[in-house]
Amino acid sequence: MSESNAEAVASAVASATGAAADVAGGVAAGGWRRATGFAGVAIGVVAAGAAAGVAIERLTVGRGMRQKARLALDSAGPYGGLRGTPGTAYADDGTELYYEVDDADGGGGGGGGQGGDGGDTAARTALTGRRRRLFGRRAPAPVTVVFSHGYCLNQDSWHFQRAALRGVVRTVHWDQRSHGRSGRGVTQVRDGSPVTIGELGRDLKAVIDAAAPEGPIVLVGHSMGGMTVMALADAFPELVRERVVGVALVGTSSGRLGEVNFGLPVAGVNAVRRVLPGVLKALGQRAELVEKGRRATADLFAGIIKRYSFASRDVDPAVARFAERMIESTPIDVVAEYYPAFNDHDKTDALAEFADLPVLVLAGVRDLVTPSEHSEEIAGLLPDAELVLVPDAGHLVMLEHPELVTDRLADLLVRAGAVPAATTVGGYGSTSSSAGPG
């Protein structure tokens, strides 16, 4: 690298490291134009860790070319195109919660997204073969698997697992309040109140009441979705005792999230923790301006997302772009509404409700958001749980290593008595190319 290029990289790193402080200063002084310009960096919190790689990319790839590449991936990537039979549940404050059901008779009523009816039929035919390898020929037990997604994601984050289980077992996929196709949280809009994890547990209960009012249930949650599952158990232990037959907790935590350092030096983390809650609250009040600044810093934001989503180097670019799109779609005011919930989250005691159930605890060893040590602590409190640590995986392990996650989930369904037999998933779920299911 030339001396001038090295200076450019160093400059980008220095600029990113000071970005959060610049935002805080801009907000405090009323300088919204300056603060907005750094909004994408502030949202990422950890821009310094990704800045060098983004700076190098900028030295070799023009902005227009990067934009064309994103558009190409958006049009070519098949991920997130699976749809089921839609439904709406209502939270206790009236928030509309969108969900979809894929029945065990060959998928949901909404078709398979891209490719039209012919493509969906072909995918379903191919999945029939996978179903026989995965679970044998007998009909599955009458169980519903309910998937809960994480912060700044939506139900499509379970794309690979959903595709593998279509027609095998009844599944419900829902969008948490203010995410995906669900409505904005009524309490948050009306009262300006932040979201609580307890509130999400009650939302999950509303979805179960609407989409799976009877029969056994397997609960699957990633990150914030796992916390939602814990909150459900905390508030409705009788539901767990009477109906839940298995639990999967993926890349999640039962508490102490305020101690996570996101892979940053201690001094940097402490500085961010001091300013971030106020910065996010202030930025959330200027959402329209902030979104403009966020789009202006899209390249840096993409680098941050990749760093904190994946650990392996060979992730399919279409999968990486798929994750980026989901996160990008979460408005800044929603980001701000949810942030306080994580420092307050502590559902360690609720784990006892899962003690007598088949439980899968799975995490990426290189997860910088909910470190794998948190999963190890959960498994330590549930000694009969299966603990799976994936060495070359980050926070979005179900997208980064879908075969492994689907295989362990299939095994959990067997242990829970939801399906009669199981083997390895085989070649399904590879992210080595942009090919979709089927």
Side-chain angles (χ1 to χ4, degrees):
M1 180 182 297
S2 69
E3 184 176 349
S4 61
N5 286 356
E7 289 175 356
V9 173
S11 175
V13 174
S15 174
T17 303
D22 287 341
V23 174
V27 172
W32 276 106
R33 182 173 296 178
R34 185 176 183 218
T36 303
F38 287 107
V41 184
I43 296 163
V45 181
V46 286
V54 175
I56 292 170
E57 180 192 9
R58 284 180 169 177
L59 295 174
T60 57
V61 182
R63 182 175 181 179
M65 187 175 296
R66 291 194 303 273
Q67 184 176 13
K68 288 180 180 179
R70 285 197 295 270
L71 291 173
L73 290 172
D74 286 345
S75 63
Y79 309 114
L82 298 174
R83 299 270 64 90
T85 303
T88 303
Y90 292 90
D92 52 14
D93 66 351
T95 299
E96 293 187 357
L97 303 170
Y98 178 82
Y99 66 84
E100 293 180 359
V101 177
D102 287 352
D103 288 316
D105 60 358
Q114 299 183 19
D117 293 340
D120 190 47
T121 300
R124 204 169 288 167
T125 300
L127 285 172
T128 301
R130 294 192 187 102
R131 181 163 67 251
R132 288 173 179 167
R133 293 199 303 273
L134 184 59
F135 296 116
R137 294 177 179 273
R138 287 187 293 164
V143 64
T144 299
V145 185
V146 182
F147 288 84
S148 299
H149 68 79
Y151 182 43
C152 297
L153 300 172
N154 60 51
Q155 63 176 269
D156 292 338
S157 62
W158 295 107
H159 173 88
F160 290 105
Q161 293 70 40
R162 181 175 189 171
L165 294 176
R166 284 195 128 190
V168 176
V169 65
R170 188 175 190 265
T171 60
V172 172
H173 301 261
W174 69 293
D175 293 329
Q176 304 248 26
R177 62 172 55 216
S178 302
H179 287 70
R181 293 173 173 82
S182 285
R184 285 298 311 273
V186 169
T187 299
Q188 287 68 52
V189 173
R190 182 188 62 207
D191 305 330
S193 301
V195 177
T196 68
I197 299 299
E199 189 173 31
L200 302 184
R202 297 191 297 275
D203 289 354
L204 176 55
K205 175 63 160 53
V207 170
I208 291 172
D209 288 346
E214 298 178 347
I217 301 168
V218 173
L219 300 172
V220 182
H222 167 251
S223 191
M224 183 179 75
M227 302 173 205
T228 301
V229 168
M230 298 175 208
L232 175 78
D234 187 44
F236 305 99
E238 69 285 352
L239 173 68
V240 176
R241 289 192 293 267
E242 294 171 5
R243 297 187 56 198
V244 176
V245 297
V247 177
L249 302 171
V250 180
T252 190
S253 171
S254 62
R256 297 191 306 104
L257 286 168
E259 301 174 12
V260 176
N261 65 12
F262 302 103
L264 292 175
V266 174
V269 172
N270 290 338
V272 166
R273 285 187 182 135
R274 283 196 301 269
V275 303
L276 188 60
V279 168
L280 283 176
K281 183 177 181 180
L283 294 178
Q285 295 169 352
R286 299 290 190 277
E288 184 175 349
L289 290 174
V290 171
E291 293 302 332
K292 292 180 180 178
R294 192 173 174 183
R295 289 191 292 272
T297 57
D299 292 334
L300 183 57
F301 194 61
I304 295 167
I305 291 173
K306 188 171 183 180
R307 170 171 166 76
Y308 287 90
S309 298
F310 308 108
S312 53
R313 296 182 178 180
D314 58 350
V315 174
D316 180 357
V319 171
R321 176 59 187 153
F322 171 45
E324 185 183 337
R325 279 204 319 274
M326 283 190 285
I327 296 171
E328 283 177 345
S329 69
T330 308
I332 182 60
D333 46 345
V334 174
V335 175
E337 289 167 1
Y338 270 82
Y339 181 77
F342 302 112
N343 280 338
D344 297 337
H345 167 61
D346 184 355
K347 290 292 183 284
T348 303
D349 292 343
L351 293 173
E353 301 299 331
F354 304 142
D356 298 326
L357 296 173
V359 177
L360 168 66
V361 181
L362 188 149
V365 171
R366 295 167 63 187
D367 188 336
L368 298 176
V369 180
T370 50
S372 59
E373 290 82 3
H374 289 237
S375 290
E376 293 183 78
E377 291 177 9
I378 291 172
L381 295 171
L382 298 170
D384 293 331
E386 178 188 18
L387 174 64
V388 178
L389 300 179
V390 187
D392 192 22
H395 190 57
L396 300 188
V397 60
M398 68 285 192
L399 292 175
E400 187 170 15
H401 295 284
E403 283 188 356
L404 186 151
V405 174
T406 302
D407 182 65
R408 301 327 303 152
L409 183 57
D411 186 69
L412 172 70
L413 296 181
V414 173
R415 289 191 287 127
V419 291
T423 59
T424 302
V425 174
Y428 180 73
S430 172
T431 59
S432 59
S433 72
S434 296

